[in-house]
Amino acid sequence: MRTDTFSVKSFPDLTGFVPHDETSASLRVCIVTEEIVGPVRNGGISTTYANLAKLLVDAGHEVTVLYLKGTHSEIGTIEDWIAHYKALGVDLVPLPAVPAMGTSYWQARQYSAFVWLKEQPVPFDIVHGSEWRGGLYYALLAKHMGLAFDETQFIVKSSSPLIWNRHYMMEFLADPNMLAVMLSEQRSVELGDMVVGGSAHLLSFMEHVGYQLPEDRTYVQPNVLMFDDLEIVDKRGEVAVGDRLKTRDLVFFGRLEARKGLEIFCDALDFLVARDCLPRHVTFLGKVGASLPTAPQMDCDKYIEMRAARWPFEIEIMTHCQQAEALAYLVDKPRIAVMPSLVENSSMAVYEALIYKIPFIATAIGGTPELVVPEDASAVLTQVNPRDLANHIEDALNRGGLVARGTFDNPANLDVWRDFHRHLADRKLAGTLPQLAAPGQTGDAPAISLCVFWPGESDALGSFLAAAADGAGSALCEVVLACMSPAAAAQVPEQVDGVPVRVVDAREMGLGEAWNAAAKAASGRALFFLRGDIH
């Protein structure tokens, strides 16, 4: 584990966005997301956006969810979930893939999302999306360049960028394609009209590694969580904040994987066995994640069974629970939830434990300490190592698990999110919603220069230039040809379709040098680089 070498900054929350009156205006909202509850069993992003969609529909807004995984569904079929969300008043749209040659898997998905949003006959007022995997990157880039979305405001949620995961998990970047993902994640944050994070820690980390957070447009607000429709029955009797619940039942609460601290938890149980401080029953409650780096040959549920062979207490592995089933299990009787994650932004499991008054022990990493009042931190927050985790569990088994106090009030937090969107609706009515937009190109599309590497003589030059000019469209202001020979330069016409063609001497230059020479000579605001010999 890495230790932080940066300070966590303070950011404003959303309470400053106050509605002007009891407006009846509604917003057209699109939530663009890799994950949503239903097609994806659970997870922080999927839960947050499912709840946000419900909150906005209940408030009278028109809500569409663009599901970036297309027809992929972990449970049932995508048609089942389209019908499920339709009954809730939400239009769930599986992303239609747009053919995009020469791009990576992630770029193709980002481009498909841009095309779908751009082709909507009526533009959305608000688009919510996470930076994770950069799904909104091309749409945000298009808005910044003045190509589209003048009427749409993009609100980007800081969630789980690849560089953050790799940094705290101390993992190498094994796939070169992920460099493009890291760039698109960073630029999604930097180009957002607004950025709203669940924790100040992740936003501070982003600045630490070079992100340029939108100035005066970056906020921290607890995630949207709604439980009204879960119908969870608490069978523990009266439980109050500050109580200690006596129990010897532990629950590992989270995905069964390294990032959620599975190995640390198993090591801590070994320590407790050696101390003869035994729980009665231990449940592993979460879906199976990626295999552990230390045991890549087996699934994590099999790893647990291997470790449990020397534990003198009962264990149970529950891997298929949805959110309601998991929470119902935790309040069926007194149980202590354990969330020993190695890296967290704003832990959904900790939110749920605080709201349902479930005693818990979690690691003091990322944004988790921001959710617990300082007076309770020493009892429920542990360092990221099995010895300190074992110490905290032993104390909880002996004294009872503490029902900790959170730093947020969930009903009040939901009111803030409602008021924030009412404020945006007021701005829509007043015509001032675009004032929240990030600075960028406005008005007409930017002038385009085509920077072309042209290696030699060819009869195809005329048809190539005509096709290139047609593809660039009306914004094309010039074509700059970096020619490698005087003979090639002599073939170049002065213009194509009324657009001037300029020649740059690129004798004895390689491809990079030639393109750089063309770029230096170009006058357009947007530059496109082409190779005339292979296009």
Side-chain angles (χ1 to χ4, degrees):
M1 278 296 300
R2 293 186 183 272
T3 55
D4 290 338
T5 57
F6 60 89
S7 300
V8 176
K9 292 177 54 176
S10 294
F11 295 87
D13 59 23
L14 296 178
T15 55
F17 293 91
V18 179
H20 301 309
D21 50 40
E22 292 294 329
T23 178
S24 59
S26 63
L27 297 165
R28 294 192 74 246
V29 180
C30 184
I31 298 172
V32 179
T33 180
E34 287 280 338
E35 298 192 344
I36 193 79
V37 169
V40 175
R41 187 176 296 122
N42 50 41
I45 294 173
S46 63
T47 302
T48 294
Y49 280 144
N51 282 285
L52 178 62
K54 184 177 184 303
L55 179 138
L56 293 178
V57 166
D58 291 347
H61 303 293
E62 180 184 336
V63 180
T64 299
V65 173
L66 180 62
Y67 176 51
L68 297 181
K69 284 189 169 73
T71 59
H72 171 78
S73 181
E74 296 178 1
I75 305 172
T77 67
I78 194 64
E79 289 76 18
D80 297 333
W81 295 111
I82 291 172
H84 169 82
Y85 276 99
K86 181 65 71 176
L88 298 176
V90 177
D91 188 13
L92 176 64
V93 178
L95 175 67
V98 176
M101 295 180 63
T103 62
S104 72
Y105 169 81
W106 294 107
Q107 287 174 299
R109 184 176 289 186
Q110 294 160 0
Y111 180 70
S112 297
F114 156 67
V115 170
W116 187 88
L117 288 168
K118 187 174 184 293
E119 290 182 346
Q120 295 309 295
V122 180
F124 290 103
D125 302 310
I126 303 294
V127 172
H128 283 279
S130 169
E131 100 293 322
W132 188 51
R133 298 298 189 256
L136 285 175
Y137 173 50
Y138 285 134
L140 288 162
L141 196 59
K143 180 173 184 180
H144 179 69
M145 295 174 67
L147 299 175
F149 311 118
D150 286 344
E151 301 175 54
T152 301
Q153 307 309 306
F154 289 85
I155 301 174
V156 178
K157 169 180 165 54
S158 60
S159 299
S160 181
L162 186 74
I163 190 173
W164 174 72
N165 273 291
R166 293 298 183 270
H167 174 87
Y168 284 103
M169 296 298 293
M170 299 181 70
E171 293 179 355
F172 293 110
L173 189 68
D175 182 357
N177 288 323
M178 299 312 284
L179 289 169
V181 174
M182 289 168 62
L183 172 66
S184 62
E185 290 177 336
Q186 177 171 342
R187 293 297 286 154
S188 294
V189 171
E190 294 174 342
L191 296 174
D193 294 315
M194 296 177 66
V195 173
V196 182
S199 78
H201 183 276
L202 177 55
L203 294 172
S204 298
F205 171 83
M206 287 176 168
E207 280 200 328
H208 174 67
V209 297
Y211 283 43
Q212 301 297 313
L213 297 181
E215 188 174 357
D216 299 325
R217 292 178 288 110
T218 301
Y219 304 86
V220 171
Q221 188 68 35
N223 292 323
V224 177
L225 278 179
M226 300 177 68
F227 301 100
D228 297 345
D229 59 343
L230 296 185
E231 299 180 353
I232 295 169
V233 178
D234 191 339
K235 299 180 181 179
R236 300 171 302 171
E238 290 295 324
V239 176
V241 170
D243 287 351
R244 282 190 173 268
L245 302 190
K246 294 289 289 185
T247 178
R248 303 196 77 80
D249 285 16
L250 303 177
V251 180
F252 179 91
F253 187 29
R255 270 192 316 277
L256 309 183
E257 63 180 15
R259 176 186 156 180
K260 297 298 182 179
L262 180 60
E263 288 178 285
I264 288 178
F265 182 68
C266 291
D267 290 344
L269 292 178
D270 283 346
F271 293 172
L272 292 172
V273 170
R275 299 176 189 180
D276 198 28
C277 178
L278 303 179
R280 184 193 70 84
H281 188 279
V282 177
T283 305
F284 292 82
L285 181 59
K287 66 181 179 181
V288 176
S291 297
L292 301 173
T294 55
Q297 76 282 5
M298 66 178 72
D299 292 337
C300 286
D301 53 345
K302 301 303 179 185
Y303 172 84
I304 294 167
E305 292 172 357
M306 178 191 73
R307 295 291 300 263
R310 53 181 179 269
W311 294 336
F313 44 78
E314 300 175 359
I315 75 154
E316 185 175 4
I317 303 174
M318 301 172 63
T319 61
H320 297 288
C321 291
Q322 293 274 35
Q323 180 189 35
E325 298 171 288
L327 291 173
Y329 180 79
L330 285 165
V331 298
D332 181 65
K333 61 186 292 188
R335 292 183 167 103
I336 300 170
V338 184
M339 297 85 89
S341 298
L342 306 186
V343 53
E344 285 288 358
N345 171 22
S346 194
S347 169
M348 192 62 62
V350 173
Y351 276 98
E352 292 167 337
L354 288 166
I355 291 169
Y356 275 91
K357 300 177 184 177
I358 298 165
F360 70 91
I361 298 167
T363 38
I365 46 84
T368 298
E370 298 174 35
L371 300 176
V372 180
V373 298
E375 296 82 356
D376 291 344
S378 62
V380 300
L381 299 182
T382 173
Q383 297 303 306
V384 190
N385 66 70
R387 182 179 60 255
D388 200 45
L389 177 59
N391 292 343
H392 277 75
I393 294 175
E394 181 176 10
D395 182 69
L397 292 176
N398 291 334
R399 300 174 57 204
L402 178 66
V403 179
R405 292 167 289 174
T407 55
F408 65 96
D409 176 86
N410 197 50
N413 179 52
L414 298 180
D415 285 340
V416 170
W417 280 101
R418 293 186 189 99
D419 286 349
F420 170 59
H421 286 88
R422 284 178 54 209
H423 176 94
L424 299 179
D426 285 345
R427 281 181 170 271
K428 176 186 174 182
L429 275 180
T432 61
L433 190 56
Q435 293 178 3
L436 296 176
Q441 175 78 16
T442 59
D444 296 332
I448 293 172
S449 294
L450 296 183
C451 299
V452 181
F453 172 74
W454 190 255
E457 302 173 50
S458 171
D459 295 336
L461 178 60
S463 58
F464 170 81
L465 289 175
D470 180 67
S474 61
L476 181 62
C477 69
E478 66 181 351
V479 178
V480 182
L481 257 72
C483 292
M484 296 188 68
S485 72
Q491 292 182 314
V492 178
E494 292 185 359
Q495 62 179 24
V496 56
D497 293 342
V499 175
V501 180
R502 303 165 57 197
V503 176
V504 171
D505 187 352
R507 280 177 288 182
E508 301 182 3
M509 291 186 183
L511 174 63
E513 287 181 291
W515 269 344
N516 283 339
K520 186 176 181 179
S523 61
R525 186 168 180 271
L527 309 183
F528 285 78
F529 295 89
L530 303 176
R531 284 186 60 170
D533 56 337
I534 62 173
H535 282 81

